[in-house]
């Protein structure tokens, strides 16, 4: 694996199919495609950056063993988590570190931006070249909304106790 997530971010090769998660502001629950699927119109994201306010950021990629990546030896068909300093700079070199190699059900977490951020692999679809992942604070669902505070109208009136007389039409 020559170009892990951090190095791929530094090269800028996939910049039109990347997304950024800012701890405490947003989360990501979607499909992340391997780089061999980059040209496929259905592949919307191949690389995710978890932005930290410190000098170190975290990068999530799906190391799909296919096409130009078919000979990968390490972490094949796994979601990888790497880190690198330098705010993902494309102008200077930064050492990257492999932190996790995850498959279905696997998770990794760290305090990032003062928040307990968790990366979890929800499923993998090797035939289509993607894994579904969630990156969120404390592993919470991204689609969970707060309960409504709107006051609802009172219920309809209770039924009457008196029988209703039915009149026949003669």
């Amino acid at each position: 694996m020559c170009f892990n997530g951090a190095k791929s971010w530094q090269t800028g090769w996939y910049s039109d199919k990347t997304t950024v998660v800012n701890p405490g502001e947003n989360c990501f629950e979607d499909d992340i495609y391997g780089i061999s699927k980059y040209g496929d119109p259905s592949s919307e994201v191949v690389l995710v950056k978890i932005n930290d306010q410190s000098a170190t950021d975290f990068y999530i990629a799906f190391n799909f063993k296919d096409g130009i990546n078919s000979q990968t030896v390490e972490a094949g068909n796994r979601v990888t988590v790497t880190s690198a300093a330098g705010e993902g700079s494309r102008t200077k070199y930064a050492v990257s570190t492999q932190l996790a190699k995850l498959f279905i059900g696997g998770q990794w977490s760290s305090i990032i931006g003062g928040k307990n951020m968790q990366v979890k692999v929800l499923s993998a679809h090797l035939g289509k070249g993607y894994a579904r992942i969630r990156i969120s604070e404390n592993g919470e669902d991204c689609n969970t909304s707060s309960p409504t505070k709107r006051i609802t109208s009172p219920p309809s009136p209770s039924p009457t106790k008196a029988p209703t007389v039915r009149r026949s039409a003669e």
Side-chain angles (χ1 to χ4, degrees):
M1 185 163 94
C2 296
F3 291 99
N4 60 34
K7 296 303 179 194
S8 291
W9 188 276
Q10 287 175 334
T11 65
W13 289 341
Y14 314 109
S15 61
D16 61 328
K17 292 194 176 186
T18 62
T19 193
V20 176
V21 174
N22 291 301
E25 293 178 22
N26 63 335
C27 69
F28 177 86
E29 186 170 330
D30 209 340
D31 303 327
I32 184 168
Y33 285 80
I35 60 168
S36 67
K37 298 297 182 186
Y38 171 76
D40 187 326
S42 65
S43 68
E44 295 181 17
V45 177
V46 297
L47 187 58
V48 180
K49 174 183 174 183
I50 304 175
N51 196 26
D52 193 356
Q53 298 305 314
S54 75
T56 301
D57 290 311
F58 300 84
Y59 304 87
I60 317 306
F62 181 48
N63 194 30
F64 181 49
K65 281 183 82 163
D66 180 61
I68 63 172
N69 207 37
S70 64
Q71 299 298 312
T72 190
V73 176
E74 185 179 359
N77 294 331
R78 300 290 188 260
V79 171
T80 61
V81 181
T82 53
S83 66
E87 281 297 309
S89 172
R90 293 184 172 98
T91 60
K92 65 180 184 173
Y93 175 80
V95 173
S96 62
T97 304
Q98 178 94 14
L99 301 172
K101 306 169 207 172
L102 308 170
F103 199 58
I104 300 169
Q107 59 189 26
W108 172 88
S109 63
S110 183
I111 302 300
I112 305 172
K115 307 291 182 183
N116 180 33
M117 297 301 291
Q118 183 183 91
V119 176
K120 183 170 184 174
V121 181
L122 304 173
S123 61
H125 303 277
L126 301 181
K128 296 186 179 185
Y130 68 88
R132 184 158 194 89
I133 65 170
R134 178 187 307 132
I135 303 169
S136 65
E137 188 175 348
N138 298 315
E140 295 173 7
D141 274 346
C142 293
N143 300 324
T144 304
S145 59
S146 300
T148 181
K149 292 181 181 177
R150 182 176 54 92
I151 299 173
T152 58
S153 58
S156 59
S158 300
T160 61
K161 293 184 181 182
T164 305
V165 177
R166 184 174 218 183
R167 298 181 196 264
S168 63
E170 294 181 28

